[in-house]
Amino acid sequence: MTDFAFSGFVQGLGFIALIFVFFSFQKSNKREILLYLVFAQLLFAVHFGLLHAYTAMSMNLLAVLRGVVFLRDRTVAWLYLFVFLFLTSGYLSWEGWRSALPITAMVLETIAFWIQKPQYIRWLSLTPRPFWLSYNILVVSLPGIVSEVFVLTSLLIALYRFRKK
């Protein structure tokens, strides 16, 4: 496979993940939000691995596990365990200062997804966006960059749609 075709394949995987991310925040309950995100994060893990962005790859693999666990159990111990795992994984996959960006984003997302109410999940999910956007620019993940714009847009639309009147 040529470099151009391989690059297209890698970016294409990320764009498929982007579709799952966009629709996740349009769902009306936590279970559906997390299911869509599990699929997105699995695809993004492969995408980042192929880009040699190993911190983001490890963060997304742990996020898949987090999503599955949070679908079944909301015990506060899981929250602390996943924060610890994201910090540890980030340390083990450290690629320099840029690794701090996805580590911070995933800790913030973990707190957001541990919350029960979808509206709070949406509000708190706004906070990791600048960290992921910066990282995606640094590793040249075109779908990651577009994903952050779409996620932000999707979150704002969902916040408007599901607002309390």
Side-chain angles (χ1 to χ4, degrees), residues 61-76:
L61 286 173
L62 272 173
V64 169
L65 179 61
R66 176 194 66 198
V68 170
V69 169
F70 282 7
L71 279 168
R72 301 181 188 285
D73 191 352
R74 218 176 66 73
T75 310
V76 74

Side-chain angles (χ1 to χ4, degrees), residues 24-40:
S24 69
F25 292 107
Q26 298 307 311
K27 297 303 174 186
S28 61
N29 68 60
K30 181 180 179 177
R31 180 172 182 75
E32 289 178 334
I33 291 170
L34 290 177
L35 278 173
Y36 272 75
L37 288 176
V38 162
F39 287 114

Side-chain angles (χ1 to χ4, degrees), residues 56-140:
M57 180 187 77
S58 70
M59 297 292 111
N60 277 278
L61 286 173
L62 272 173
V64 169
L65 179 61
R66 176 194 66 198
V68 170
V69 169
F70 282 7
L71 279 168
R72 301 181 188 285
D73 191 352
R74 218 176 66 73
T75 310
V76 74
W78 287 114
L79 171 65
Y80 292 119
L81 177 63
F82 279 108
V83 167
F84 173 77
L85 290 173
F86 280 118
L87 293 171
T88 302
S89 179
Y91 173 76
L92 294 174
S93 64
W94 189 256
E95 302 167 299
W97 69 270
R98 76 179 192 185
S99 290
L101 297 167
I103 295 165
T104 303
M106 285 310 221
V107 168
L108 292 170
E109 284 182 0
T110 299
I111 295 165
F113 294 141
W114 180 77
I115 304 284
Q116 188 62 27
K117 293 187 177 191
Q119 196 70 345
Y120 295 151
I121 293 170
R122 290 181 192 97
W123 275 109
L124 288 171
S125 292
L126 292 172
T127 59
R129 308 294 45 105
F131 297 102
W132 272 122
L133 180 60
S134 300
Y135 185 82
N136 286 314
I137 290 168
L138 290 171
V139 300
V140 192

